[in-house]
């Protein structure tokens, strides 16, 4: 058993079950949504990596081990982050920068020693390095190593970052890397024994992880039990479940019940929002990992931002009276600590609101069966209703009160308030086009024949906003400004009323609007 567990031994926690394993080729997108996305349940998917270039280029001739010389030869100059699995730094492992060539040299040297004791050694002179968070997709866009499985393509986070910066304030976006992340698509590479401490994913996003080679042990804790891994003050959490966890510091930890999963080569795991997990490489491993969110976990993102904002605000409350811009300082701290602040999020959901409205409006020009048009419209209406539910929660937040909006830079405020200007931005056009391509590709349900498919944007499409096509009347309520979440709710309500009234070339059934927005 210990051999199968890569020398780790049996997990020192109570295991309540295994993660379900499903053949991804036999699963439809709607089934994935109903069985895993909406219930927020993990699943291990097989059969999705057969045609990936990475599944051949990145493997040694034996088809199992990583082809490390290939990485050194083709990507060796890339500068990457590596974590030392033997050294803790705050809540994570200590990191350093290396080139890929340097990391490969280290790994080959480590392998040549064939000393299994290194897996348990914790001597200060030893290191066990794990390459993490390599932005391979952005760095090598012409090298198509893989195709995102269709279940994960509705990825608002990375679609947005392909055309937008996550921060617009000049005092924030000058900071690159961690704060202003280029994307959340990563490659991970590590020898046997490397691991990732217990954590929940950034933004409380979903993630998926595909094993190109190697095996991983995953330990999952459901959100309903995650409070049990924190101390009494909810300030720190368990770092490593294999440690001798202090019952005095973490009194609830022994009550936790976990799911376990051993992920094999060519298997893809779906990690739901808010599940704490710890991961160990049982063999030399290369994986491809994305963080992402969409309509089904948008409320998780807002919930994290609100919680982290309250923590940041409490931390500096004693300087409120002497601070010229207390709200602005809270938002800058939130961006630095969490990766996004309230105004970044407002810009994000405003643009996805307008993009979904445009796609819904343009269904009036589509040809096809009523069922096909209803299938398409259901995506957009579901998205809009989920955004509305989150925006409704945001209305009571003080950051959007008139006096506090003064803390929001002109650039930020314009980026969500001036609807007409947003329509004219090339990056917004790019986002809308990417959204349409995404929904066309999901489950191959949309008409793909170029002879019958109507393009989302004609060459002069955005000029028609000014020439009475009905588009402005559909998308924009009597005000063309979105000054805060309340206006965004009104904007969505206006578009839904126009949709119900039959502005398209077919009538929507009333039950389409009765569906409850998905809020966790």
């Amino acid at each position: 058993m210990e051999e199968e567990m890569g020398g780790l031994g049996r997990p020192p926690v109570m295991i309540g079950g295994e993660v379900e394993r499903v053949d991804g080729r036999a699963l439809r997108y709607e089934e994935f949504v109903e069985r895993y996305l909406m219930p927020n349940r993990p699943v291990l998917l097989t059969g999705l990596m057969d045609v990936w270039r990475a599944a051949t280029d990145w493997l040694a001739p034996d088809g199992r081990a990583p082809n490390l010389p290939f990485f050194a030869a083709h990507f060796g100059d890339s500068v990457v982050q590596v974590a030392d699995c033997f050294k803790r730094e705050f809540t994570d492992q200590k990191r350093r920068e290396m080139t890929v060539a340097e990391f490969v040299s280290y790994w080959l040297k480590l392998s040549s020693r064939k000393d299994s004791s290194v897996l348990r050694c914790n001597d200060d002179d030893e290191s066990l390095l794990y390459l993490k968070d390599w932005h391979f997709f952005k760095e090598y866009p012409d090298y198509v190593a893989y195709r995102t499985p269709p279940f994960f393509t509705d990825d608002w986070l990375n679609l947005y970052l392909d055309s937008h910066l996550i921060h617009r304030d000049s005092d924030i976006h000058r900071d690159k890397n961690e704060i202003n992340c280029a994307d959340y698509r990563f490659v991970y590479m590590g020898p046997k024994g490397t691991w990732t401490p217990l954590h929940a994913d950034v933004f409380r996003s979903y993630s998926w992880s595909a094993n190109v080679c190697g095996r991983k042990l995953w330990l999952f804790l459901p959100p309903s039990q995650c409070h049990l891994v924190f101390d009494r003050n909810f300030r720190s959490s368990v770092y490593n479940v294999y440690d001798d966890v202090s019952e005095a510091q973490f009194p609830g930890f022994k009550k936790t019940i976990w799911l376990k999963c051993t992920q094999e080569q060519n298997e893809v795991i779906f990690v739901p929002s808010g599940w704490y997990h710890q991961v160990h490489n049982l063999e030399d491993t290369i994986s491809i990992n994305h963080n992402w969110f969409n309509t089904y976990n948008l409320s998780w993102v807002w919930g994290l931002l609100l919680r982290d904002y309250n923590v940041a605000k409490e931390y500096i409350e004693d300087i409120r009276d002497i601070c010229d811009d207390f709200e602005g300082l809270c938002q800058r701290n939130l961006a630095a600590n969490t990766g996004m602040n309230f105004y970044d999020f407002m810009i994000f959901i405003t643009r996805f609101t307008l993009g979904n409205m445009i796609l819904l409006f343009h269904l009036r020009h589509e040809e096809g069966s009523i069922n096909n048009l209803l299938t398409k419209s259901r995506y957009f209406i579901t998205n809009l209703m989920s955004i509305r539910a989150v925006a409704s929660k945001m209305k009571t937040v003080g950051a959007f009160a008139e006096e506090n909006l003064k803390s929001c830079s002109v650039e930020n405020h314009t980026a969500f308030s001036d609807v007409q200007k947003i329509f004219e931005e090339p990056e917004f056009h790019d986002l809308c086009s990417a959204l349409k391509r995404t929904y066309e590709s999901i489950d191959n349900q949309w008409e793909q024949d170029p002879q019958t498919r109507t393009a989302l944007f004609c060459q002069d499409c955005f000029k028609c906003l000014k020439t009475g096509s009905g588009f402005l009347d559909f998308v924009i309520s009597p005000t063309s400004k979105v000054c805060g979440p309340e206006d965004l709710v009104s904007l969505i309500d206006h578009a839904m009323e126009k949709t119900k009234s039959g502005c398209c070339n077919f009538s929507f059934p009333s039950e389409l609007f009765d569906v409850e927005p998905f809020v966790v």
Side-chain angles (χ1 to χ4, degrees):
M1 175 62 73
E2 187 162 325
E3 179 69 23
E4 292 179 3
M5 302 298 289
L8 277 172
R10 186 173 181 175
V13 291
M14 186 180 299
I15 302 298
E18 297 267 347
V19 174
E20 184 181 4
R21 184 177 262 102
V22 174
D23 184 348
R25 294 164 295 192
L27 192 66
R28 287 178 58 81
Y29 181 76
E30 289 85 353
E31 292 177 295
F32 178 75
V33 169
E34 291 174 6
R35 290 168 58 179
Y36 306 108
L37 276 188
M38 291 180 68
N40 205 43
R41 290 176 50 208
V43 64
L44 194 63
L45 300 169
T46 63
L48 300 178
M49 300 171 57
D50 296 342
V51 297
W52 286 10
R53 184 177 180 182
T56 54
D57 285 0
W58 295 6
L59 300 181
D62 66 0
R64 298 286 303 178
N67 187 352
L68 297 179
F70 179 86
F71 281 90
H74 292 82
F75 317 116
D77 291 336
S78 293
V79 177
V80 291
Q81 293 268 322
V82 298
D84 188 340
C85 296
F86 286 161
K87 293 182 175 65
R88 178 175 178 175
E89 189 169 69
F90 303 109
T91 60
D92 199 1
Q93 294 159 337
K94 189 172 183 179
R95 297 203 181 197
R96 68 175 89 163
E97 284 190 346
M98 301 174 74
T99 66
V100 169
E102 289 169 338
F103 178 72
V104 166
S105 177
Y106 156 80
W107 192 344
L108 291 172
K109 191 179 299 182
L110 181 71
S111 299
S112 69
R113 291 162 54 183
K114 296 187 181 299
D115 180 4
S116 61
S117 66
V118 72
L119 300 184
R120 291 190 179 272
C121 176
N122 201 17
D123 187 86
D124 287 340
D125 294 332
E126 292 284 0
S127 293
L128 186 59
L129 302 184
Y130 190 4
L131 188 160
K132 294 185 175 184
D133 301 334
W134 182 8
H135 295 270
F136 186 92
F137 181 91
K138 281 283 189 179
E139 194 168 353
Y140 298 99
D142 296 329
Y143 179 92
V144 184
Y146 62 98
R147 297 287 185 187
T148 300
F151 308 117
F152 315 130
T153 54
D154 189 11
D155 174 353
W156 294 7
L157 178 59
N158 288 300
L159 286 179
Y160 184 79
L161 290 173
D162 284 343
S163 54
H164 293 71
L165 292 172
I166 205 163
H167 305 295
R168 289 172 178 257
D169 281 343
S170 58
D171 59 340
I172 295 177
H173 79 232
R174 276 196 295 265
D175 298 328
K176 56 183 180 179
N177 299 328
E178 290 83 10
I179 292 181
N180 206 28
C181 192
D183 69 341
Y184 286 86
R185 308 175 182 103
F186 307 113
V187 168
Y188 280 46
M189 300 173 60
K192 176 182 176 180
T194 49
W195 64 291
T196 297
L198 184 64
H199 69 288
D201 283 332
V202 60
F203 302 133
R204 294 305 179 265
S205 60
Y206 298 136
S207 65
W208 62 267
S209 179
N211 268 9
V212 177
C213 64
R215 300 165 65 237
K216 290 178 183 281
L217 170 69
W218 294 75
L219 297 172
F220 286 103
L221 189 67
S224 60
Q225 298 183 48
C226 286
H227 62 286
L228 299 175
V229 302
F230 281 84
D231 64 10
R232 298 176 190 275
N233 299 316
F234 286 87
R235 288 289 188 250
S236 63
S237 60
V238 172
Y239 176 75
N240 179 6
V241 302
Y242 281 89
D243 285 342
D244 183 13
V245 177
S246 167
E247 188 171 1
Q249 185 179 7
F250 302 104
F253 182 70
K254 287 189 175 180
K255 302 175 185 177
T256 56
I257 302 174
W258 303 68
L259 292 183
K260 180 172 72 72
C261 172
T262 301
Q263 180 188 15
E264 305 289 343
Q265 182 175 349
N266 292 331
E267 294 184 337
V268 183
I269 196 161
F270 165 64
V271 181
S273 288
W275 285 65
Y276 271 71
H277 49 284
Q278 185 165 317
V279 191
H280 292 261
N281 291 330
L282 305 178
E283 300 173 352
D284 291 354
T285 302
I286 300 175
S287 63
I288 294 166
N289 310 272
H290 286 202
N291 292 99
W292 53 294
F293 53 79
N294 59 27
T295 191
Y296 296 105
N297 65 340
L298 191 66
S299 62
W300 278 95
V301 182
W302 171 247
L304 177 71
L305 288 174
L306 185 60
R307 190 201 74 184
D308 286 1
Y309 168 81
N310 288 331
V311 170
K313 185 177 178 181
E314 180 184 353
Y315 190 74
I316 60 172
E317 186 66 40
D318 58 343
I319 66 167
R320 177 192 287 269
D321 294 340
I322 60 172
C323 185
D324 293 334
D325 183 12
F326 183 75
E327 184 61 40
L329 180 59
C330 290
Q331 294 301 328
R332 287 191 292 276
N333 287 348
L334 181 61
N337 295 333
T338 307
M340 184 188 299
N341 64 31
F342 287 179
Y343 303 133
D344 301 324
F345 186 70
M346 184 67 194
I347 295 167
F348 179 94
I349 62 173
T350 298
R351 284 157 189 266
F352 272 91
T353 295
L354 297 173
N356 277 278
M357 286 180 177
I358 288 172
L359 292 167
L360 184 60
F361 175 84
H362 275 271
L363 286 180
R364 68 186 296 173
H365 302 301
E366 293 274 356
E367 298 179 3
S369 69
I370 295 297
N371 285 339
N372 191 37
L373 293 173
L374 289 175
T375 297
K376 298 177 184 181
S377 65
R378 188 170 284 110
Y379 288 120
F380 309 135
I381 291 173
T382 299
N383 292 345
L384 289 169
M385 297 306 289
S386 289
I387 294 172
R388 186 192 186 281
V390 171
S392 295
K393 291 183 177 182
M394 296 168 62
K395 289 193 295 185
T396 59
V397 174
F400 294 103
E402 185 175 353
E403 63 272 16
N404 285 328
L405 278 174
K406 297 173 184 176
S407 302
C408 183
S409 68
V410 173
E411 185 177 14
N412 261 352
H413 195 263
T414 302
F416 64 74
S417 67
D418 193 334
V419 173
Q420 188 67 56
K421 184 176 179 181
I422 293 171
F423 284 148
E424 296 169 359
E425 293 177 359
E427 57 265 33
F428 177 69
H429 300 188
D430 291 342
L431 176 63
C432 291
S433 296
L435 268 176
K436 182 170 189 284
R437 288 193 300 270
T438 294
Y439 293 116
E440 284 177 337
S441 68
I442 287 178
D443 216 14
N444 296 316
Q445 290 189 13
W446 287 33
E447 178 59 66
Q448 296 296 306
D449 185 350
Q451 298 298 317
T452 60
R453 184 177 66 201
T454 303
L456 175 58
F457 301 123
C458 61
Q459 187 174 7
D460 296 324
C461 178
F462 280 89
K463 291 183 180 179
C464 76
L465 291 173
K466 304 174 183 178
T467 58
S469 70
F471 191 29
L472 269 179
D473 184 49
F474 176 79
V475 172
I476 300 180
S477 59
T479 175
S480 61
K481 295 287 185 182
V482 178
C483 295
E486 190 167 358
D487 290 336
L488 193 61
V489 170
S490 298
L491 201 70
I492 295 171
D493 288 344
H494 175 81
M496 292 298 97
E497 285 302 316
K498 288 290 182 179
T499 303
K500 287 180 186 179
S501 67
C503 68
C504 299
N505 64 350
F506 63 95
S507 297
F508 290 97
S510 60
E511 60 266 23
L512 192 59
F513 300 91
D514 295 334
V515 62
E516 290 293 320
F518 188 79
V519 180
V520 178

